[in-house]
Amino acid sequence: MPRRLVRCERGNIAVITGFLMAALAGFVAMGIDVGVWYSRHQVMQRAADSAAVAGAMELARGNDVARVEAAVMQEAAANGVDGSLLNYTIGHNQITVDIAEDLPLFFARVVTEIAPVARVTATAGMNPVQVCIMALAKTGIGIKLQGAAEIVAPGCNIQVDSEANDAIDSHGGHAAITAHSICVAGATKGNGAFSPLPDEYCTTGVPDPLKDLPEPPEAKGACSRLPLVSGTAQPGVYCGGLNVVGDTVMQPGIYVVRLGNFTVGPAKLKGEGVTIYLQGSATIQMHGNADVELSAPTSGPLAGVVIVSDRDPATILGIPLGLPHLLTGNSSKSYLGAIYLPKGDITFQGAAGSGSPSPFSIFIAHRIALIGAAEMTIDNRYDQTPVPLPGTMSLELAARLIK
């Protein structure tokens, strides 16, 4: 009986298995090296970010290129990157840091001898920061937002001194706050959107920077002006209030409002170098059909202050806290300087807003509320106006990543 030859395939299987094992080893090797490369890339990016911010801080301090370079190199080294791998470029108020490094080959040499190059970049700019909204009340709601109310102040800080659990109360589908930072002595309540998230139970808040503003000598003067104003307004003491109607221009100076309110509307009001000084129970009443453009003085004891109330009317005249100041409607309102109402509550209602054309605005009050579609937009272009920061306020030097 003939014998049959049986094919043996064990050799083929061994060869195929060998190829597969080699390929698998290559993939595993690449996987290990890719993980190392990814981790190193993250280290390099952190170093570039930190170095760029450090350089921008030196620029903000007005230091020379040598100090900027030293800060950049030191920060890069502190984050694990040798300065020889780094290049930087200084532009207008900003610095860009580039880092390039040949990544190491370990197991990946099985499949390649060419080392990959990782490149990262970061740009940081000078960012002078100041408190632009401050609610001074120590208890209860400090800032309240309802409906679609919104605060847009990305270049400055917001501070709420209330230690209550609803120090910031926000309710409504689109209530939102955007700022450089949000410091709250207490906590927040509601469904508002915040960017960045508030620093609750914050202990880094600054004291009231305008608490020592002097009373102007005009505040002790006798009544000298009639309450109703249209056309041209002159500085003086307005007894019975200051009521602006029609197109009106305020001449530079101090306007003392006594025994009445500062009321605008229907009107278009403009004034440069003016301070409105509210005595006693005087309040602001801006109607919906009022267009307002006011800027503070550039010199004198009230430089940088556009509207201010009595330093402490609650104790001087027995007037309770929370004097109501109201801004309503679709009017355009632009205030260059500070509005300082330490014993008053400001309410923006309807579609009221604080206009964005001003290089900077500062609102400091007992409490602040935005209702309905009210929007408070605040810029921080301090270098684009001769109007100074008021009182003891000064710019906090800071730097931020741009990209």
Side-chain angles (χ1 to χ4, degrees):
M1 182 174 181
R3 298 176 61 186
R4 298 193 176 193
L5 296 176
V6 179
R7 181 184 299 173
C8 179
E9 297 181 350
R10 284 178 295 177
N12 292 339
I13 293 173
V15 171
I16 294 171
T17 301
F19 280 125
L20 291 175
M21 290 298 293
L24 180 61
F27 284 124
V28 171
M30 286 295 294
I32 294 174
D33 279 25
V34 167
V36 172
W37 298 339
Y38 177 76
S39 176
R40 184 56 183 171
H41 187 276
Q42 288 184 309
V43 170
M44 292 169 62
Q45 188 63 64
R46 284 195 296 269
D49 292 346
S50 298
V53 170
M57 279 297 296
E58 295 303 320
L59 290 175
R61 295 186 179 107
N63 289 327
D64 57 21
V65 174
R67 292 289 298 273
V68 173
E69 179 174 338
V72 168
M73 296 299 180
Q74 180 179 352
E75 197 64 27
N79 283 274
V81 172
D82 188 88
S84 63
L85 304 172
L86 179 151
N87 289 301
Y88 67 90
T89 304
I90 297 176
H92 179 63
N93 292 335
Q94 67 181 40
I95 182 171
T96 298
V97 173
D98 298 293
I99 299 174
E101 180 179 324
D102 292 335
L103 296 174
L105 287 174
F106 299 109
F107 300 103
R109 292 185 184 277
V110 174
V111 293
T112 183
E113 290 292 330
I114 302 174
V117 178
R119 299 181 186 277
V120 298
T121 185
T123 300
M126 296 166 52
N127 187 35
V129 181
Q130 180 53 262
V131 171
C132 59
I133 299 175
M134 182 182 289
L136 300 172
K138 300 297 184 182
T139 60
I141 297 172
I143 292 181
K144 180 178 184 178
L145 291 89
Q146 283 188 353
E150 185 175 10
I151 296 175
V152 182
C156 57
N157 300 332
I158 294 175
Q159 179 175 317
V160 181
D161 290 346
S162 173
E163 298 178 357
N165 291 330
D166 56 352
I168 296 182
D169 184 87
S170 59
H171 290 87
H174 302 285
I177 297 178
T178 301
H180 179 269
S181 71
I182 307 170
C183 172
V184 187
T188 63
K189 178 182 178 181
N191 58 358
F194 298 95
S195 177
L197 291 176
D199 181 9
E200 296 186 330
Y201 307 107
C202 173
T203 59
T204 60
V206 298
D208 179 357
L210 302 183
K211 64 182 180 65
D212 295 322
L213 279 180
E215 180 184 69
E218 292 85 350
K220 299 185 182 301
C223 299
S224 60
R225 303 292 180 188
L226 296 175
L228 187 62
V229 172
S230 182
T232 300
Q234 299 293 339
V237 179
Y238 287 78
C239 291
L242 173 53
N243 305 314
V244 179
V245 295
D247 292 351
T248 302
V249 176
M250 302 182 81
Q251 297 300 306
I254 306 295
Y255 292 74
V256 178
V257 182
R258 183 186 298 164
L259 302 175
N261 298 323
F262 175 41
T263 304
V264 182
K268 290 185 178 181
L269 175 63
K270 296 187 67 174
E272 294 185 9
V274 303
T275 297
I276 313 298
Y277 187 81
L278 305 174
Q279 275 192 324
S281 60
T283 62
I284 305 169
Q285 302 296 318
M286 297 285 184
H287 295 298
N289 48 5
D291 291 335
V292 180
E293 186 177 344
L294 298 176
S295 65
T298 59
S299 61
L302 292 179
V305 180
V306 67
I307 302 177
V308 58
S309 69
D310 277 329
R311 172 54 249 158
D312 195 351
T315 57
I316 294 175
L317 300 174
I319 297 169
L321 295 176
L323 289 172
H325 303 271
L326 184 64
L327 293 85
T328 62
N330 298 302
S331 54
S332 171
K333 298 174 179 65
S334 171
Y335 307 100
L336 174 48
I339 293 181
Y340 182 55
L341 307 168
K343 300 302 178 182
D345 296 350
I346 303 178
T347 298
F348 296 86
Q349 187 170 294
S354 62
S356 58
S358 291
F360 77 89
S361 297
I362 298 168
F363 293 85
I364 301 178
H366 184 238
R367 305 184 199 276
I368 298 172
L370 286 81
I371 310 297
E375 178 178 318
M376 182 185 290
T377 301
I378 298 179
D379 214 331
N380 66 329
R381 295 171 285 127
Y382 306 108
D383 60 343
Q384 296 186 19
T385 174
V387 176
L389 288 165
T392 60
M393 299 184 80
S394 61
L395 292 180
E396 167 194 340
L397 293 181
R400 63 182 176 90
L401 282 173
I402 299 172
K403 62 180 179 179

